[in-house]
Amino acid sequence: MSLPILSTFMFSFVLLFIFRKVAKRVNLVDKPNARKLHTGAIPLVGGVSIYAAIFLTSVLYLDKDFSDWLFLACGAVLIVIGVLDDKFDISFKVRLFVQAGISLAMIFTANVSLESLGSIAGNVPVALPAWVSYAVTVVAVIGAINAFNMVDGIDGLLGGLASVTFAALAFMFYLGGNTELAINCLMFIAALVPYVLLNLGIPLGPRFKIFMGDAGSMLIGFTVVWFLIRGSQPDHSTYIKPVTALWFIALPLMDMATIMVRRVRKGQSPFKPDREHLHHICQRIGLSPRMTLVFICGLASLFALVGVLGELYMVSETKMFVGFLVLFSVYFGVISHIFRITAKVRSWLGKSPLVEEVA
């Protein structure tokens, strides 16, 4: 069990150094602009290195069936499109088209789709008709990919949030007796750790800094939704209830939904980049980047823990779903009025108020 995980870590660590040199030669780098406040040109090869490490370990150590090869093929497509986007900034419409195609490949060639929402409306499971199932699956895949893409805004955050989700999934797969899927999830954590360390400048400093790139964030989002569907649907062995999946990706999901609603309210495209994500807001109210990272990952861990405990103590799916809706409502309300709330708190503490407001 430990050999694939250790090998993935080593492959990822070595490949990061190899690919960062290649990235500089081909100018696959991220340069500062109005939204990106880092210093210098940073290689965008975190995702490429992680995929290559997973691919090598899978080929060398794991028994693979058709669905495993399909996953690796879909991942390769996303990596290629992501690299092209990082290099040439391709249209979001092209990315959505490819993501939809990946979703359909999942559905029709590997039978990986959301066919049941579980018993979220009472004791009777909510089974989806075939065409509804296909549509919901496509939306879920595109949503997860873009949710994790959107949280990749400060050092360590994407890797941290993804590791929280993979750890929760690995735990549930292990409890359910599927060590293969548990190892797959732990392999992704092992591949993420070297990236997160270099991304944070640990221990070699900012000289060896690496960014994930759209290639990596799309791969991570796709992998998360792949495992969530594999673990929650009746056609596969059910290790978690569908509603638990919401708790495992609660923060990326709520952040994406909240900011897209705000953009639409402003008459903007929901895909328009800005600096109003949760990690941006945390910094604007006074938290340092490292404090923001710890706070958000801690909050995500708490939500994932709620999902795990709901499974272990067999809390009804209806209660878990209502609880998630309440959580999202509170989150949306707080984020929408965060600067008013912060101003009141700062006034109580005798500090000058912040005048910024999120629309």
Side-chain angles (χ1 to χ4, degrees):
M1 178 176 180
S2 60
L3 184 57
I5 297 169
L6 179 60
S7 297
T8 305
F9 175 87
M10 295 304 298
F11 283 140
S12 179
F13 185 80
V14 172
L15 289 169
L16 281 166
F17 286 93
I18 294 174
F19 285 136
R20 70 181 301 276
K21 290 186 176 182
V22 176
K24 289 188 173 182
R25 290 180 181 176
V26 301
N27 200 34
L28 184 61
V29 295
D30 195 28
K31 298 177 180 178
N33 58 32
R35 292 190 303 108
K36 303 172 182 179
L37 306 181
H38 58 80
T39 302
I42 310 298
L44 290 162
V45 292
V48 177
S49 303
I50 289 169
Y51 175 80
I54 294 294
F55 181 86
L56 288 173
T57 304
S58 299
V59 170
L60 291 174
Y61 298 109
L62 302 183
D63 295 327
K64 294 168 293 302
D65 58 21
F66 176 78
S67 65
D68 296 322
W69 285 113
L70 176 68
F71 168 79
L72 292 172
C74 290
V77 171
L78 289 173
I79 288 293
V80 171
I81 292 299
V83 168
L84 291 175
D85 189 33
D86 290 329
K87 178 70 175 176
F88 301 108
D89 194 22
I90 62 178
S91 167
F92 77 88
K93 295 179 182 179
V94 174
R95 298 198 304 270
L96 290 179
F97 178 79
V98 173
Q99 292 164 15
I102 293 295
S103 308
L104 295 176
M106 282 177 52
I107 295 168
F108 293 111
T109 62
N111 195 32
V112 177
S113 62
L114 281 164
E115 299 177 353
S116 171
L117 301 181
S119 303
I120 60 173
N123 295 325
V124 180
V126 180
L128 301 177
W131 68 272
V132 176
S133 169
Y134 302 155
V136 171
T137 302
V138 171
V139 171
V141 172
I142 293 175
I145 289 174
N146 287 281
F148 279 90
N149 179 270
M150 288 181 176
V151 299
D152 189 18
I154 62 171
D155 293 345
L157 186 56
L158 175 59
L161 290 176
S163 295
V164 167
T165 301
F166 286 132
L169 280 166
F171 179 72
M172 295 309 302
F173 287 144
Y174 180 77
L175 285 185
N178 193 325
T179 56
E180 180 182 348
L181 286 179
I183 289 173
N184 290 158
C185 291
L186 293 176
M187 282 167 54
F188 268 91
I189 296 175
L192 282 164
V193 169
Y195 160 74
V196 171
L197 292 176
L198 291 180
N199 186 229
L200 291 171
I202 301 170
L204 302 175
R207 178 186 171 189
F208 293 94
K209 194 178 190 68
I210 297 286
F211 281 168
M212 184 68 80
D214 284 342
S217 59
M218 288 199 294
L219 173 69
I220 294 300
F222 172 70
T223 304
V224 165
V225 75
W226 175 279
F227 284 128
L228 288 174
I229 295 175
R230 286 285 301 271
S232 65
Q233 294 303 296
D235 273 1
H236 309 277
S237 296
T238 304
Y239 302 99
I240 61 172
K241 301 178 182 69
V243 69
T244 304
L246 296 175
W247 288 93
F248 284 1
I249 59 169
L251 262 184
L253 190 61
M254 293 190 299
D255 182 63
M256 177 188 69
T258 300
I259 200 165
M260 291 181 89
V261 168
R262 291 206 305 264
R263 289 170 182 170
V264 170
R265 282 181 172 179
K266 293 179 180 180
Q268 301 171 345
S269 166
F271 299 99
K272 178 185 176 182
D274 56 33
R275 291 184 57 82
E276 294 188 354
H277 291 282
L278 177 60
H279 50 273
H280 295 132
I281 292 172
C282 287
Q283 293 177 86
R284 284 156 63 187
I285 63 177
L287 296 182
S288 69
R290 293 294 172 88
M291 291 172 63
T292 298
L293 173 63
V294 171
F295 171 72
I296 295 178
C297 288
L299 204 56
S301 299
L302 178 61
F303 297 153
L305 179 61
V306 171
V308 169
L309 292 177
E311 290 283 347
L312 296 180
Y313 289 97
M314 295 181 288
V315 179
S316 79
E317 294 172 69
T318 304
K319 291 180 180 178
M320 293 294 290
F321 184 59
V322 170
F324 180 82
L325 293 179
V326 171
L327 173 68
F328 177 71
S329 299
V330 172
Y331 178 90
F332 186 89
V334 169
I335 294 299
S336 297
H337 302 90
I338 186 64
F339 293 108
R340 294 177 187 172
I341 296 170
T342 304
K344 290 182 179 180
V345 173
R346 291 175 70 89
S347 67
W348 293 340
L349 298 175
K351 297 181 179 181
S352 59
L354 294 171
V355 296
E356 297 180 85
E357 177 63 60
V358 178

